[in-house]
Amino acid sequence: MEVRPDDVWLVTYPRSGTTMTCEILWLMMNNLDYEKAAKTHMFHRRHFLEFFTFLHEQTQDLNTYPSLHDFPIGYRLAASAPSPRLVVTHLPLSLLPPKVVDVARVVFVARDPRDVAVSWYHLLKMYRCFDFVGDFKEFWKLFMEDSILFTPFFPRLKETWVLRNHPKMLFLFYEDMIKDKPSTLNKISSFCGKQYSQELLLTLADHLSIDMFRQNQSVQSVLETIPGMNNEGGEGFIRKGKSGGWRDYFDEEMRLQAETWIQRNLAGTDITFVF
Ligand code: A3P
């Protein structure tokens, strides 16, 4: 795939803050045009590379979602899109065009895998095209075994961490982003080559508050618009927006397993998740 020098690529594991970061990047690439952002669904403001290649095959077989066919696959749309492009992907760097970090600008967002797993569990239960039916304990076991969509979790984190000081790479933690939005926004604006007053950054931070975001129709998942897609009892695409919520889902056994799993996988690195 062609990578363009003025591309911005946002690379994440799902449920790590992709949508929030995407909104920030799009706004900074478009002169903070809130009006256009509100009027144009996120789906049409960025190119989600692998969308819709990962839906449950049943969705395709049943052919019950005719509107799915209205959405061409992201990388095809991206190929003919005008510059500058905002490209979003949940694929790891090692599966992307090898020169992406040298040619384009890349933003990676990392999040504590325990919070990622809880959030991913809710999403995979919520939409019929994924239809995860087990409880969280089963989900967590499968997550650690690399048997959940887009796992394994750690190799992408480690391969990107090594490049974190590359001049064309911005490595962010979700935990830092929500703890101190203005300072994160400062970092992102410098990376994008933009300068904003403190007042503009505070307005943007306000726009990103979880309550505002929940009500913002243009950042909701496009899956929600597909008739019959939503299972009952879902907690929503923009959900809690907090760090450390995993504690409510892990019993003592899972907590210890998680600690061992994380320590084993991060051994030899200086990556730490802080919240
Ligand atoms: P939770 O389910 O823990 O609440 P992604 O966009 O990569 O799918 O990430 C989704 C996660 O980011 C969800 O986490 C979601 O609630 C959270 N999120 C989305 N917008 C947010 C915002 N403006 N501020 C804080 N968290 C946000």
Side-chain angles (χ1 to χ4, degrees):
M1 183 186 169
E2 180 210 14
V3 179
R4 303 181 195 164
D6 53 2
D7 281 347
V8 176
W9 288 55
L10 173 58
V11 182
T12 61
Y13 188 87
R15 307 309 280 165
S16 301
T18 324
T19 315
M20 170 176 55
T21 314
C22 205
E23 180 77 345
I24 300 168
L25 290 169
W26 187 89
L27 282 166
M28 291 190 178
M29 290 166 77
N30 291 273
N31 293 320
L32 302 182
D33 190 344
Y34 290 100
E35 210 177 303
K36 189 168 176 195
K39 277 199 292 215
T40 321
H41 194 281
M42 184 63 90
F43 189 82
H44 300 289
R45 291 189 277 137
R46 50 96 173 104
H47 300 283
F48 191 164
L49 214 58
E50 64 274 16
F51 212 53
F52 278 103
T53 58
F54 54 81
L55 296 185
H56 196 296
E57 61 185 24
Q58 227 177 25
T59 317
Q60 330 254 326
D61 291 352
L62 287 173
N63 202 15
T64 49
Y65 307 120
S67 48
L68 274 185
H69 302 291
D70 296 339
F71 298 111
I73 303 229
Y75 66 86
R76 291 205 190 118
L77 281 175
S80 57
S83 294
R85 301 178 304 182
L86 175 54
V87 180
V88 176
T89 180
H90 293 320
L91 298 176
L93 279 181
S94 48
L95 292 180
L96 296 178
K99 288 199 165 22
V100 66
V101 187
D102 296 320
V103 176
R105 269 171 298 168
V106 177
V107 179
F108 184 88
V109 187
R111 187 180 188 190
D112 188 308
R114 293 164 290 194
D115 278 331
V116 164
V118 170
S119 185
W120 198 207
Y121 161 75
H122 279 291
L123 189 131
L124 294 184
K125 271 180 107 69
M126 186 163 68
Y127 297 131
R128 253 198 86 198
C129 57
F130 302 119
D131 242 353
F132 185 80
V133 291
D135 61 17
F136 180 71
K137 198 161 186 163
E138 288 170 76
F139 185 89
W140 175 247
K141 185 169 173 288
L142 292 167
F143 189 81
M144 284 192 301
E145 287 171 358
D146 303 335
S147 301
I148 295 291
L149 186 62
F150 287 112
T151 55
F153 178 84
F154 284 107
R156 69 176 61 217
L157 178 70
K158 292 194 272 190
E159 74 186 14
T160 318
W161 181 250
V162 171
L163 294 171
R164 70 191 180 282
N165 295 322
H166 189 293
K168 290 194 155 190
M169 157 75 67
L170 180 64
F171 193 108
L172 300 169
F173 283 97
Y174 173 88
E175 290 76 13
D176 295 334
M177 293 181 78
I178 61 164
K179 197 167 142 215
D180 186 354
K181 284 207 178 91
S183 109
T184 302
L185 293 175
N186 238 326
K187 254 193 228 166
I188 302 180
S189 63
S190 305
F191 183 70
C192 292
K194 309 273 173 179
Q195 261 197 323
Y196 298 111
S197 66
Q198 193 61 10
E199 195 187 342
L200 286 176
L201 292 181
L202 289 175
T203 308
L204 180 49
D206 198 38
H207 172 78
L208 300 169
S209 75
I210 192 77
D211 291 338
M212 293 278 278
F213 233 56
R214 264 194 224 107
Q215 294 164 29
N216 184 341
Q217 288 311 308
S218 90
V219 301
Q220 305 304 317
S221 168
V222 79
L223 293 176
E224 277 169 25
T225 62
I226 298 171
M229 184 60 95
N230 296 286
N231 283 324
E232 274 182 26
E235 295 198 356
F237 181 68
I238 308 297
R239 205 178 61 96
K240 305 265 183 200
K242 291 206 170 100
S243 297
W246 62 267
R247 290 170 195 284
D248 297 336
Y249 289 80
F250 284 62
D251 60 24
E252 187 59 12
E253 183 196 10
M254 291 160 78
R255 195 182 63 75
L256 291 171
Q257 269 175 353
E259 256 171 44
T260 312
W261 180 68
I262 293 172
Q263 270 169 20
R264 193 178 64 240
N265 279 286
L266 293 185
T269 78
D270 54 352
I271 306 172
T272 43
F273 292 99
V274 188
F275 49 80

